[in-house]
Amino acid sequence: VILNSPCTSNGNGDHIFITDWNLTWHTENPDFTPCFQNTVLVWIPCIYLWVCFPVYFLYLRCHDRGYIQMSNLNKAKTALGLILWIVCWADLFYSFWERSQNIFQAPFFLVRPTVLGITMLLATFLIQYERIKGVQSSGVMTIFWLISLLCAVVVFRSKIINALNTDEVDAFRYATFCIYFILLLVQLILCCFPERPPLFSETVNDPNPCPEFSASFLSRITFWWITGLMVQGYRRPLEAKDLWSLNKEDKSEEIVPGLARNWAKEWAKTKRQPLNMLYSPKKQQKSSSSSGDVTEEAEALIIKPSQKSSEASLFKVLYKTFGPYFLMSFLFKAAHDLLMFAGPEILKLLINFVNNKAAPNWQGYFYTGLLFVCACLQTLILHQYFHICFVTGMRLKTAIVGVIYRKALVITNSARKTSTVGEIVNLMSVDAQRFMDLATYINMIWSAPLQVILALYLLWQNLGPSVLAGVAVMILLVPINAVMAMKTKTYQVAQMKSKDNRIKLMNEILNGIKVLKLYAWELAFREKVLEIRQKELKVLKKSAYLAAMATFTWVCAPFLVALSTFAVYVTIDKNNVLDAQKAFVSLALFNILRFPLNMLPMVISSIVEASVSLKRLRVFLSHEELDPDSIIRGPITDAEGCIVVKNATFSWSKNDPPSLNSINFTVPEGSLVAVVGQVGCGKSSLLSALLGEMDKKEGYVVVKGSVAYVPQQAWVQNATLEDNIIFGREMNESRYKRVIEACALLPDIEILPTGDKTEIGEKGVNLSGGQKQRVSLARAVYCNADVYLFDDPLSAVDAHVGKHIFEKVIGPKGILKNKTRVLVTHAINYLPQMDTILVMSDGEISEMGSYQELLKQDGAFAEFLRTYANAEQSVENSDTNSPSGKEGKPIENGALVNEAPGKLMHRQLSNSSTYSRDTGKTQHQSSTAELQKPLAEKNSWKLTEADTAKTGRVKATVYWDYMKAIGLFISFLSIFLFMCNHIASLASNYWLSLWTDDPVINGTQQYTNVRLGVYGALGISQGIAVFGYSMVVSIGGIFASRHLHLNLLHNVLRSPMSFFERTPSGNLVNRFSKEIDTIDSTIPPIIKMFMGSTFNVIGACIIILLATPIAAVIIPPLGLVYLFVQRFYVATSRQLKRLESVSRSPVYSHFNETLLGVSVIRAFEEQKRFIKQNDVKVDENQKAYYPSIVANRWLAVRLEYVGNCIVLFAALFAVIARNKLSAGLVGLSVSYSLQITAYLNWLVRMSSELETNIVAVERVKEYAEMEKEAEWSIEQTAPASTWPKEGKVEFRGYGLRYREDLDLVLKNINVTINGGEKIGIVGRTGAGKSSLTLGLFRINEAAEGEIIIDGINIAKIGLHDLRFKITIIPQDPILFSGSLRMNLDPFDQHSDEDIWRSLELAHLKNFVSSLPDKLNHECAEGGENLSVGQRQLVCLARALLRKSKILVLDEATAAVDLETDKLIQSTIKSQFEECTVLTIAHRLNTIMDYTRVLVLDRGEVVECGSPDHLLQEKGIFYSMAKDSGLV
């Protein structure tokens, strides 16, 4: 009655009910009662707006985007709002007027206009408030106008019907209502246009702002605003400059400080926690005598704070930072889950409608419309939800990377030791990525159970208790899935392990490829790789069987569930009839159930992984930080001195013993102080302490003014040479020139291809050790600080360069003569010029004073001088600087560079190709050949080839290649099995529809058992087909993978040396890791899913066509739309993915670099700049990632609309033809169409995934077409096994060039070397000495002329035949990880006695016998657990073992100390007496007793004869001997 009360007119008391089913439902022409129209339909929009208002108002108050100026659009909206209010209140006043005329209407004529009027005022207020807060397009208002309009349409229709049917009409109210209706329509239209951007917003001065915030609400929910970018990407491949800037909320500078602040608070809280004191009263002893004065003794117990509370919770911090935005996704997800169940419910009503022939037609259309609207809403809500999740994920990653980077700049050195560089980079890449992935899943934790419960409830309503049978099957499948997931994980771990080993080995092979080629060891190593690969494939095969099982359960689960449920339902009770409604609604619900059940295990494992990551992150973020106040950095005042240290004790970390004890010294301003001492006595530590890198235990340290620091191992950034020197300061031309000249960089800059604009590769790969050190020095000199700390900058440079630098820069007359300088050094000759010398021993300062004073004391310093002075003399002969021999640190690959000014050390460049993680980078490594090019070609200088990203579509041939690699029989077999599976599946569902249409006689159906039996049989055959194709595809994938890897490995090993010099080893390693991994484990499952989705879509279309053939008109156009959208998307998405991965590499390499140079960055106080750089790099990466998320959403919304249209038409045609169709067919066709959206979505995903991943096959095949070196062995021309007998080598008119387009490096060389001669080859750097040996081994083929050994032209025989017979001891001793035995004899040709004998001759026997494993001693990667000298001796042992007639000795420059050198020389003299020995000499004293010396200059032999003879000729040889002090 209450509901009716506003509808009663006052006098007559007759009730007009709010609803009247005869009027609204059971009629051909439905309508609502006037009462309903004037109450409920008016209140709906009003209630909506008033409920939203408080929340929205608060939201706007917090999110102020700036103020929007009044525009015509805004004026119009406001005016219309006010007019609406006036119209509503006109009605109100009209009602009052009627009352005054004594016409009494129902009360709602008063209530309605009042409520509406107030609501319109509120709407007008919101329009203005939004403008003030800078909202450009409002969702709340758009929805409000839309709801109002929909309600008004219903009223409008009924008013028109009324007017047509009756004569008397309330003219005034009709007029106001028409005006109201038109105004609403206009408001809605105006709401679709966005406002102009707010004043003072960033977008104004942004060259390429993101259109998202200026887009209208409709454009934002359908993601229409990205279409411009899609079109652009379709027309031409996108480039980085086409991408929009990030939104302000997504930028690092917005996000990271927020998280950092919250973490700092949380961290401080746990730091601050007081010790919990608990007072526990002692037991009260009540004695009878006691007169009530019970003594209570309280004893304070200090309880350790419980672990839980003391750890800062990172989860809490993340939640605090990102929670509020993420909470929105909860609402969306919940709404979507509820809407998901609308589909099956409407399907139920639709089937009832088809069965009930009496129902009016409009109900069918109503259901169809409802189905379509629900589907569309579901689409929009779901993708808004995903968008929020992905954006949160993106912000999480940005924040985590930023916080890690900032933390890495401040953690102490001891903390750095606990996390290696690799681990920290992993935190950034892997762990941050895990959070990103989790953000999209995390809601499934509550949503999946919710979906399951809802589905079961609806099923129970539909089928009663027999549902439990189906549920039981599902629950049984869950543990099976879980077990398989666990197993898969263990297999994955095993596979990763093999993969890591394989990559490690490949990495070594590629780094030592030159040695492999010289020794002809390729085959031995190929076998080693294949052995590991075999293990890997075994594991892969096991996981393939598992995957087949998993696919089987996943595909058959819904069927088994349906079968068991229907079987139980039909068999419990004869009267249970399986009709269309029950069968198909249940099927639809089972399909919904399958998703959450499969997701749950994934989500749980994802959460477990993320929690592990969370812990690792928390540990890293809780590391100790350097105390910025331990060193007092004051401005310069004249007090005391520039550096004052009093009683200071330092250690590397809080709990280490101190490494510097009670240090006391003062450095007056402007003085030059040297720090000397034996290796490891704490010289470098002293500098670190002054920089504040160490933990100060006690004492007082002041460093006045700014500091510049040159570390011992030069740190060079991957930037241009100029940037490296300027290091973020302003450019000052004259100063820059002075610095470069003083640091002796001018000649080097002239050589570099583009001068000081040359980009320097990672870790400075294209600079020699000496050059890097000088760049590092120049950086310090340029920055013009007050205090300079030099950590042995002269050790890596040649003697004469060192002298130049000391005079021009460091010394009393250098650029820095007025600065305070502290120099750690080993070079004795500079000590007399120092103001003060600190002598250190064992972490203490043992003596201090000027040179003369210390000599007089005759203490530690004098002794130090004696030890070093002797060494100095002996090394001076060879053109290098002493410390390198002494400080057992090989500089840059153990090759100290012999820098004749203006020449680069080429040989070493080709060896130092580094392994770079990111393949997008080019690394420039120069090679001898390059330098011979005229400088005119400066700008075209790129030696290495960048890893090219292919653009455009993948060619069909690649798919064909892959099929061939699988084997054509297997390929076609798998396609056939796919067909069988889907035919069986369609047949079983069609059979079900026939079954449901069986007539019901006396409450039962006949033939139930036959129907059930056939249904089961079809299902089982479907299962067998699934298992078959799954197995076949997986096994085929393994065949392909084995075949492709074998080919790749073989082809790479067959490539000539020039290929390895051109290709960064990073690219190659990438092919072996990333691409092969993709082929192993990514492509087969993607193919399975792709094929599955394709057939599913085709199957659904076939069923719809069977039921309603008229759909043939609609499906092809929709198919075209679909293809069009898909092509559009794939083009853009592929390019965005590439841009994203290209921009990802710099983030990691910059981070890597920062970690290596963190002490330099801190010393120069450049942290802010580096943090900014990191932010910019992360933002660049997210700039490509953000559009790719949105592009995914764009695609999904479009495709789901295509799918929704199919649902619409399937239902619509079923309604139109309802008299001809059976209920079973309608159920079948609609339930299939309901699934089609999901399949379409999958199909596009999978096809674009397939395209992205099949590229791996293309890139692996790419190397098959590369040029190869000559055959390894040629049967016909193979020389006799005893060849070469005497070892006579003849060069006849020999010439050699490195590449087709370059000049000859060696020209017309005519030399005959008789058997047993000892020949020395000398010449300045770049004269072609090494090229001669390369020619002898045919590393490079002859350009002209020939080399003849014992009468056989070496160009005619197989490479291995040649290389096995000549032995070389290479310049840089390379060992491979593996046993020592393997390093000496990889083919296992020699007995243990032979090996021991060779070790004895190589002076290694004692060392090897002392090892626990003797010959099986494991060498580390690159032989790092042996000293350089020992490695050189191992190479000698190799040569002794092979004992061939011809020995080439490429003498090591500076890696070997003098003793080892003498050992090697004497062994060679005694052991290789009757062999021909060719020595490339850098130290002339080694070849003074040889039979002949060849002097090369610019690729030609200029002098040839015995050493004595050449000395008398006073030619080039004489001048070289003079330089080395032999004459």
Side-chain angles (χ1 to χ4, degrees), residues 1042-1275:
R1042 166 181 295 150
H1043 178 77
L1044 290 167
H1045 176 262
L1046 192 68
N1047 269 0
L1048 174 66
L1049 182 63
H1050 189 71
N1051 287 324
V1052 167
L1053 289 177
R1054 283 281 321 275
S1055 301
M1057 217 33 234
S1058 58
F1059 166 75
F1060 294 99
E1061 278 165 13
R1062 266 205 321 270
T1063 315
S1065 62
N1067 290 6
L1068 285 169
V1069 171
N1070 212 357
R1071 292 284 195 277
F1072 278 101
S1073 60
K1074 188 89 182 58
E1075 319 295 356
I1076 290 287
D1077 185 47
T1078 304
I1079 293 171
D1080 281 351
S1081 44
T1082 317
I1083 293 182
I1086 285 181
I1087 286 181
K1088 264 189 263 185
M1089 289 197 264
F1090 173 72
M1091 299 285 287
S1093 325
T1094 313
F1095 281 113
N1096 274 333
V1097 171
I1098 294 170
C1101 291
I1102 290 173
I1103 289 282
I1104 293 171
L1105 287 173
L1106 272 178
T1108 50
I1110 189 175
V1113 182
I1114 287 299
I1115 286 178
L1118 283 177
L1120 282 176
V1121 171
Y1122 170 80
L1123 277 175
F1124 174 70
V1125 168
Q1126 198 254 12
R1127 288 266 37 106
F1128 227 73
Y1129 162 77
V1130 168
T1132 308
S1133 139
R1134 190 188 316 116
Q1135 207 50 29
L1136 283 172
K1137 222 172 178 159
R1138 280 183 189 143
L1139 287 173
E1140 198 261 334
S1141 64
V1142 165
S1143 63
R1144 196 176 332 128
S1145 315
V1147 177
Y1148 300 140
S1149 37
H1150 176 242
F1151 186 55
N1152 238 339
E1153 225 166 50
T1154 307
L1155 286 173
L1156 292 172
V1158 74
S1159 53
V1160 178
I1161 296 170
R1162 289 200 283 239
F1164 283 92
E1165 293 183 315
E1166 286 286 310
Q1167 293 98 317
K1168 281 232 168 46
R1169 182 167 68 91
F1170 274 82
I1171 286 176
K1172 185 127 186 56
Q1173 267 182 19
N1174 180 59
D1175 284 356
V1176 167
K1177 286 185 161 63
V1178 172
D1179 287 349
E1180 278 298 309
N1181 181 22
Q1182 301 295 34
K1183 232 162 85 171
Y1185 178 70
Y1186 185 66
S1188 72
I1189 306 175
V1190 183
N1192 273 337
R1193 299 281 74 76
W1194 178 90
L1195 169 81
V1197 171
R1198 305 284 173 287
L1199 288 189
E1200 289 193 15
Y1201 267 91
V1202 172
N1204 295 343
C1205 289
I1206 293 180
V1207 176
L1208 173 70
F1209 288 115
L1212 190 62
F1213 293 141
V1215 171
I1216 292 174
R1218 70 172 181 157
N1219 298 325
K1220 304 189 202 68
L1221 281 183
S1222 67
L1225 269 177
V1226 174
L1228 184 65
S1229 108
V1230 176
S1231 68
Y1232 257 98
S1233 71
L1234 279 175
Q1235 287 179 15
I1236 206 165
T1237 25
Y1239 290 143
L1240 280 178
N1241 232 334
W1242 259 122
L1243 186 57
V1244 167
R1245 283 279 139 72
M1246 286 302 120
S1247 58
S1248 63
E1249 283 282 289
L1250 190 59
E1251 266 206 35
T1252 330
N1253 285 306
I1254 202 84
V1255 175
V1257 177
E1258 183 177 31
R1259 297 175 66 168
V1260 167
K1261 295 289 280 187
E1262 203 176 27
Y1263 283 149
E1265 282 94 58
M1266 295 282 181
E1267 46 163 344
K1268 303 281 169 286
E1269 54 183 7
E1271 286 299 317
W1272 276 342
S1273 52
I1274 305 172
E1275 292 289 318

Side-chain angles (χ1 to χ4, degrees), residues 520-627:
W521 279 0
E522 293 102 333
L523 288 170
F525 278 85
R526 193 181 120 184
E527 286 317 304
K528 277 186 72 175
V529 175
L530 290 180
E531 194 182 320
I532 299 179
R533 179 74 179 151
Q534 203 47 47
K535 270 190 211 147
E536 205 178 342
L537 287 174
K538 233 194 199 137
V539 177
L540 267 176
K541 204 171 245 169
K542 281 185 193 160
S543 13
Y545 295 141
L546 261 185
M549 286 293 298
T551 311
F552 173 71
T553 53
W554 157 246
V555 173
C556 291
F559 179 80
L560 287 172
V561 172
L563 180 66
S564 55
T565 309
F566 294 153
V568 171
Y569 180 69
V570 179
T571 47
I572 343 178
D573 183 354
K574 268 277 185 283
N575 293 335
N576 278 353
V577 175
L578 192 65
D579 57 12
Q581 179 196 330
K582 289 202 169 66
F584 289 107
V585 173
S586 307
L587 272 186
L589 287 166
F590 281 133
N591 278 329
I592 288 181
L593 250 183
R594 142 184 174 186
F595 180 69
L597 283 177
N598 278 296
M599 280 300 285
L600 266 177
M602 265 179 69
V603 175
I604 289 166
S605 72
S606 179
I607 285 178
V608 169
E609 280 179 2
S611 67
V612 171
S613 295
L614 197 69
K615 188 166 166 233
R616 288 175 44 170
L617 258 176
R618 195 196 62 230
V619 167
F620 179 71
L621 291 178
S622 309
H623 278 327
E624 299 177 56
E625 299 183 1
L626 286 175
D627 175 15

Side-chain angles (χ1 to χ4, degrees), residues 1224-1436:
L1225 269 177
V1226 174
L1228 184 65
S1229 108
V1230 176
S1231 68
Y1232 257 98
S1233 71
L1234 279 175
Q1235 287 179 15
I1236 206 165
T1237 25
Y1239 290 143
L1240 280 178
N1241 232 334
W1242 259 122
L1243 186 57
V1244 167
R1245 283 279 139 72
M1246 286 302 120
S1247 58
S1248 63
E1249 283 282 289
L1250 190 59
E1251 266 206 35
T1252 330
N1253 285 306
I1254 202 84
V1255 175
V1257 177
E1258 183 177 31
R1259 297 175 66 168
V1260 167
K1261 295 289 280 187
E1262 203 176 27
Y1263 283 149
E1265 282 94 58
M1266 295 282 181
E1267 46 163 344
K1268 303 281 169 286
E1269 54 183 7
E1271 286 299 317
W1272 276 342
S1273 52
I1274 305 172
E1275 292 289 318
Q1276 301 82 15
T1277 59
S1281 56
T1282 54
W1283 174 88
K1285 273 213 174 106
E1286 68 181 303
K1288 176 179 179 185
V1289 183
E1290 296 178 65
F1291 290 88
R1292 299 186 181 168
Y1294 186 73
L1296 173 77
R1297 60 164 60 100
Y1298 278 103
R1299 286 214 313 250
E1300 302 302 311
D1301 48 349
L1302 300 176
D1303 305 336
L1304 291 174
V1305 195
L1306 292 175
K1307 30 193 182 287
N1308 53 19
I1309 293 193
N1310 290 296
V1311 179
T1312 304
I1313 298 166
N1314 297 316
E1317 271 198 300
K1318 307 282 178 285
I1319 303 284
I1321 303 171
V1322 296
R1324 298 262 179 223
T1325 313
K1329 306 189 293 287
S1330 298
S1331 310
L1332 205 58
T1333 56
L1334 296 181
L1336 191 59
F1337 282 88
R1338 280 176 62 198
I1339 294 291
N1340 291 71
E1341 299 288 348
E1344 52 188 51
E1346 53 194 19
I1347 301 179
I1348 289 177
I1349 300 182
D1350 279 6
I1352 290 185
N1353 180 351
I1354 63 167
K1356 298 278 187 283
I1357 60 177
L1359 287 181
H1360 281 186
D1361 297 335
L1362 167 69
R1363 291 173 186 167
F1364 269 129
K1365 304 293 184 180
I1366 323 178
T1367 307
I1368 187 167
I1369 299 181
Q1371 179 178 16
D1372 31 353
I1374 291 188
L1375 300 190
F1376 298 96
S1377 56
S1379 65
L1380 201 59
R1381 197 202 151 96
M1382 197 272 330
N1383 265 303
L1384 291 169
D1385 175 30
F1387 288 101
D1388 279 335
Q1389 294 166 328
H1390 302 276
S1391 65
D1392 276 10
E1393 292 84 66
D1394 292 347
I1395 293 179
W1396 278 110
R1397 199 166 67 253
S1398 70
L1399 285 175
E1400 187 174 3
L1401 293 169
H1403 310 278
L1404 276 171
K1405 188 171 181 181
N1406 297 343
F1407 167 66
V1408 178
S1409 327
S1410 70
L1411 295 171
D1413 304 333
K1414 310 263 189 307
L1415 284 178
N1416 294 327
H1417 174 66
E1418 278 294 315
C1419 299
E1421 196 170 340
E1424 284 178 358
N1425 50 1
L1426 301 178
S1427 73
V1428 182
Q1430 285 165 336
R1431 282 183 249 165
Q1432 196 73 50
L1433 292 174
V1434 171
C1435 292
L1436 175 64

Side-chain angles (χ1 to χ4, degrees), residues 839 847 854-868:
V839 184
E847 298 179 277
L854 291 178
L855 276 182
K856 287 195 192 100
Q857 288 176 19
D858 195 31
F861 177 66
E863 185 191 337
F864 166 79
L865 277 186
R866 283 186 215 110
T867 45
Y868 267 90

Side-chain angles (χ1 to χ4, degrees), residues 99 141 286 404 800 1321 1355:
R99 294 225 157 186
M141 294 308 291
K286 287 199 174 140
I404 290 174
H800 62 271
I1321 303 171

Side-chain angles (χ1 to χ4, degrees), residues 64 100 113 180 194 212 305 311 575 647 760 785 856 933 1108 1291 1299 1355 1402:
D64 192 346
S100 67
Y180 169 76
E212 181 179 1
E311 276 182 350
N575 293 335
N647 290 333
I760 292 170
K856 287 195 192 100
K933 282 209 284 201
T1108 50
F1291 290 88
R1299 286 214 313 250

